[in-house]
Amino acid sequence: MACTVVPNAIFKNGNSIPMLGLGTWNSPPGQVAQAVKDAIDVGYRHIDCAHVYQNEHEVGEGIAAKIAEGVVKREDLFITSKLWNTFHRPDLVEGACRTTLNNLKLDYLDLYLIHWPVGYKEGPELFPMGPDGKTFLFSDADYVDTWPEMEKLVDAGLVRNIGLSNFNTKQVQRVLDVARIAPATNQIECHPYLHQSKITSFCATQGLITTAYSPLGSPARPWVQANDPILLDDETVVKLAQKYAKTAAQILIRYQIQLGHVVIPKSVTKERIASNFDVFSFQLDDGDMRLLGDLERNGRICPESSAFGHPHHPFEKEE
């Protein structure tokens, strides 16, 4: 399977990104380095990270091990990370990027994203809270002032491409209005229960690739409720898995690829990591693509509820 060639999506600037990558959000400590090593052995060359996941040092260990073994060279890999909400103030952007590079043991990132359009109060806490222990503290930093600092990271050779994550259409447009280097992608939650067709269509017209996170419905998310619908168990998805003799996860990953999206399923289990990669030997027919499209229920899994009330919250006023 390691010889499988993953197709690339092409950014507007001509650079390319593998359409399938390994997600690392919510991956338990002590398991991430091995997951990265397993993924590289299987054939993954795209790893998606973020400062807030608090596991980038382990991701870096996995990458470094495979480079040292000669399995891959640095230039074979596409590594993404994200600027966290507490570092939106312009003077903090470069330092945050260098911290991530240090944790990942890398000289440059292939892609660096503004993780959310909302800024949190600057300081050591990732989720700063007021004295009541309930209210989150926000920064007045505006992401349009953050963006020029992202561009400087490209100028400095620290980052090859820059982009956005969880931005709505108006917010993407605000960045485009000030951009010297246009964002390459908008990474958003995307799966059959939440297609986000407005933002994906807008990004396509503006030359931004959509990267889909939580493509499997994130069944292991920390705040899952007992009565929440489970996308992997959806009757339509299960029937399609039976039809194509594939797993439900493979159907959902293949769906995103056929929509033209980059997709980053997360797993730390070697068998699932391998299975999630095995999505290039079949194709969903047009009727089955429509069946999955009909599952839309605006079922947002990652609402960033801690930032409700923030003037730049992307979902409260616009989907």
Side-chain angles (χ1 to χ4, degrees):
M1 204 189 303
C3 62
T4 298
V5 177
V6 176
N8 288 329
I10 308 300
F11 291 143
K12 194 175 181 180
N13 63 11
N15 293 341
S16 60
I17 179 173
M19 291 190 74
L20 177 61
L22 178 74
T24 60
W25 172 63
N26 202 30
S27 293
Q31 299 180 33
V32 188
Q34 187 60 49
V36 169
K37 289 189 278 189
D38 290 340
I40 290 173
D41 285 341
V42 164
Y44 289 78
R45 296 295 179 261
H46 172 187
I47 312 291
D48 183 85
C49 319
H51 176 79
V52 76
Y53 301 165
Q54 300 184 72
N55 59 13
E56 286 190 325
H57 57 292
E58 292 188 44
V59 174
E61 289 171 18
I63 292 170
K66 287 300 160 185
I67 292 175
E69 288 175 27
V71 176
V72 287
K73 301 183 179 73
R74 169 64 184 97
E75 56 267 29
D76 298 330
L77 299 173
F78 191 101
I79 310 298
T80 300
S81 189
K82 309 178 192 81
L83 178 79
W84 182 238
N85 303 351
T86 52
F87 302 109
H88 281 204
R89 206 174 68 199
D91 63 301
L92 299 177
V93 173
E94 182 179 332
C97 180
R98 289 186 180 277
T99 295
T100 275
L101 287 170
N102 185 57
N103 287 338
L104 290 170
K105 301 178 176 63
L106 299 177
D107 295 325
Y108 69 91
L109 291 170
D110 296 278
L111 178 62
Y112 198 44
L113 310 176
I114 299 180
H115 202 152
W116 289 88
V118 296
Y120 291 170
K121 180 178 171 57
E122 298 77 14
E125 298 298 324
L126 293 174
F127 294 90
M129 304 196 77
D132 64 0
K134 298 177 183 176
T135 308
F136 283 83
L137 301 177
F138 300 148
S139 168
D140 59 5
D142 190 323
Y143 56 83
V144 295
D145 298 319
T146 311
W147 188 253
E149 300 303 317
M150 300 285 283
E151 295 173 326
K152 289 178 186 176
L153 300 176
V154 179
D155 299 337
L158 298 175
V159 175
R160 298 281 171 90
N161 304 277
I162 49 178
L164 309 170
S165 183
N166 301 298
F167 277 55
N168 66 33
T169 53
K170 291 179 181 176
Q171 293 169 334
V172 172
Q173 186 62 59
R174 283 189 76 215
V175 173
L176 289 169
D177 289 343
V178 303
R180 171 172 59 87
I181 301 173
T185 186
N186 188 22
Q187 184 180 126
I188 57 173
E189 180 185 341
C190 199
H191 46 77
Y193 286 169
L194 183 75
H195 285 90
Q196 304 218 78
S197 54
K198 180 179 180 181
I199 183 63
T200 58
S201 299
F202 177 76
C203 285
T205 65
Q206 300 300 315
L208 281 76
I209 297 289
T210 290
T211 300
Y213 72 74
S214 296
L216 311 181
S218 195
R221 60 191 182 277
W223 52 88
V224 69
Q225 301 294 312
N227 60 346
D228 285 347
I230 300 172
L231 178 59
L232 286 164
D233 294 341
D234 185 275
E235 183 181 3
T236 297
V237 177
V238 171
K239 284 183 177 177
L240 290 178
Q242 293 168 345
K243 173 180 174 179
Y244 289 91
K246 294 292 180 181
T247 67
Q250 288 169 329
I251 297 296
L252 294 169
I253 293 164
R254 181 72 206 176
Y255 180 60
Q256 293 299 326
I257 291 170
Q258 287 185 221
L259 289 174
H261 299 164
V262 174
V263 59
I264 48 171
K266 166 255 165 183
S267 180
V268 293
T269 308
K270 186 173 185 176
E271 293 74 18
R272 284 197 194 132
I273 289 170
S275 176
N276 289 348
F277 190 74
D278 185 18
V279 291
F280 302 104
S281 60
F282 75 105
Q283 186 156 336
L284 299 169
D285 67 37
D286 291 347
D288 293 334
M289 290 291 289
R290 284 193 292 273
L291 284 175
L292 291 167
D294 289 342
L295 296 180
E296 176 66 72
R297 56 172 73 186
N298 291 314
R300 189 178 298 282
I301 290 164
C302 298
E304 191 66 359
S305 54
S306 57
F308 284 159
H310 194 292
H312 296 311
H313 195 288
F315 312 137
E316 278 191 290
K317 296 176 183 175
E318 181 188 0
E319 286 299 313

